[in-house]
Amino acid sequence: MRKIGIISLMILLVFIYILVRPNPEIVSVSLISETAETAYTDNDSIRIFKDAIRTVKKVRGAVDVGPPTYRMNVTYADTEVVKFSLYLDFETKSGFLIKDSNSEKMLKLKDRSSRELTDLLSKVSTN
């Protein structure tokens, strides 16, 4: 019985650590399209990208899609760079990500994140 209690405690501690561990901070996001490259470093833009990445939902099965709307490079405070393909439909304000390191898995953006991203990127393209 004592072993079960110790194992349960260890599992609980690991679970708590996973829930409260700090997420790495994003310091910049660069988007590359066929015609331009734009870097985002301001707090509001970083928040939009961070929320979008944090709240994606995995889509079951493998994907086979065409070229992305943007290539996205996310740079974290520890200098790690994570590369994504970003697919956005500006009319329906929907989209998804595909992480380069796992290119067969589609990550669907939440509706709110898709709207915020399309709104942000529409501002840039009209300026």
Side-chain angles (χ1 to χ4, degrees):
M1 269 311 189
R2 185 169 167 94
K3 285 184 181 182
I4 293 174
I6 292 172
I7 292 171
S8 296
L9 180 61
M10 289 174 57
I11 292 171
L12 178 62
L13 291 174
V14 168
F15 183 71
I16 290 171
Y17 172 76
I18 290 170
L19 287 177
V20 298
R21 73 175 179 221
N23 290 330
E25 285 300 313
I26 296 174
V27 293
S28 71
V29 176
S30 64
L31 293 180
I32 302 128
S33 70
E34 289 182 6
T35 58
E37 181 173 346
T38 307
Y40 297 89
T41 57
D42 63 284
N43 289 336
D44 289 337
S45 298
I46 295 296
R47 181 198 53 80
I48 291 170
F49 286 106
K50 184 177 180 178
D51 288 348
I53 294 166
R54 185 178 51 82
T55 61
V56 293
K57 296 292 181 195
K58 292 179 185 174
V59 176
R60 295 177 78 168
V63 296
D64 183 21
V65 294
T69 313
Y70 298 96
R71 302 284 307 129
M72 184 169 84
N73 297 326
V74 179
T75 304
Y76 290 91
D78 65 359
T79 69
E80 177 187 14
V81 176
V82 179
K83 297 180 179 202
F84 295 90
S85 294
L86 173 61
Y87 295 81
L88 285 175
D89 184 329
F90 285 87
E91 288 182 27
T92 62
K93 293 192 176 190
S94 62
F96 62 93
L97 293 170
I98 296 177
K99 195 172 185 178
D100 283 10
S101 63
N102 192 359
S103 61
E104 292 185 5
K105 291 289 182 188
M106 182 187 302
L107 306 168
K108 183 176 182 340
L109 295 170
K110 286 197 160 197
D111 292 342
R112 177 180 174 197
S113 294
S114 292
R115 281 192 308 276
E116 288 181 338
L117 279 172
T118 55
D119 290 347
L120 174 67
L121 300 180
S122 294
K123 289 179 199 174
V124 172
S125 63
T126 58
N127 290 338

